[in-house]
Amino acid sequence: MKKALLILNALTIALAMVTLHACNKDVVIAPKDDVRALNVSTKDTTGGYSSTTVALTGDQIRITPSLGNDTTTFITLTAETVNSYDCLNNILVNTSSFDATSLSIHYTGVDIPSSSYCTAGQKKATATNVLYAPVNGTYGFTVKLNGTTYTGSIVKNGSNYTFNWPYISGVIVAPLSL
């Protein structure tokens, strides 16, 4: 199972690199302690790509947690805005920090490519973070959006994950149990 997880991680990273290379983006991988993360950030690497970051003012974020394909050692947190934004290839911009006891995500805006790089249309912006939690325990979970900090926790017990998340607006997490 460990070998399958390593292969899955390598494939995930390779897919992210190929996808972002096509958009002239860099992949940033930030492992820390026992809890590790895969983060994707946008960056101009050719001098030709340009974009605008639009604020998330008045928007909300829905986070959908899901388990990895063949293991329960990691969960994928897929975030999506409630509002739609220009360009079918927009990106929900976030920064995150992870350590052995907590996860923090700060959603800062939506990256909208210039007309030369924009795929015409509108869609909700999305972002994905992967949380590796190999040991049972409680992990702090903080999300920042539009100047508000939302605080809860994630509990791993065997193959089960439970989100203690009291919010029904602003930042919504569902399902709360995996």
Side-chain angles (χ1 to χ4, degrees):
M1 175 138 59
K2 188 173 184 176
K3 185 175 181 181
L5 179 59
L6 291 173
I7 292 169
L8 178 62
N9 289 342
L11 289 173
T12 301
I13 292 167
L15 179 60
M17 287 181 189
V18 169
T19 302
L20 292 175
H21 178 70
C23 297
N24 296 320
K25 311 251 186 238
D26 284 338
V27 173
V28 178
I29 302 169
K32 290 187 177 181
D33 301 321
D34 292 330
V35 180
R36 294 169 283 157
L38 172 66
N39 298 318
V40 180
S41 65
T42 60
K43 182 179 177 184
D44 180 0
T45 59
T46 65
Y49 177 81
S50 64
S51 64
T52 302
T53 301
V54 176
L56 291 163
T57 306
D59 206 345
Q60 297 185 72
I61 301 289
R62 292 186 178 148
I63 298 174
T64 304
S66 60
L67 294 173
N69 292 336
D70 65 346
T71 181
T72 57
T73 59
F74 71 93
I75 55 176
T76 301
L77 303 173
T78 304
E80 181 178 68
T81 59
V82 170
N83 296 337
S84 292
Y85 295 86
D86 288 336
C87 297
L88 296 177
N89 53 328
N90 66 41
I91 299 170
L92 179 58
V93 179
N94 73 89
T95 57
S96 57
S97 64
F98 303 83
D99 62 32
T101 62
S102 66
L103 158 64
S104 177
I105 303 173
H106 183 189
Y107 296 101
T108 57
V110 177
D111 184 66
I112 300 178
S114 66
S115 60
S116 300
Y117 297 93
C118 175
T119 302
Q122 285 204 335
K123 76 168 189 77
K124 297 175 183 197
T126 61
T128 301
N129 295 89
V130 178
L131 172 66
Y132 295 89
V135 297
N136 289 339
T138 301
Y139 300 86
F141 182 40
T142 303
V143 178
K144 294 180 184 177
L145 174 66
N146 292 324
T148 302
T149 301
Y150 301 84
T151 304
S153 64
I154 304 169
V155 178
K156 181 180 189 270
N157 186 10
S159 62
N160 299 312
Y161 286 86
T162 303
F163 286 79
N164 296 311
W165 196 256
Y167 306 98
I168 59 172
S169 66
V171 175
I172 304 146
V173 176
L176 293 174
S177 296
L178 301 174

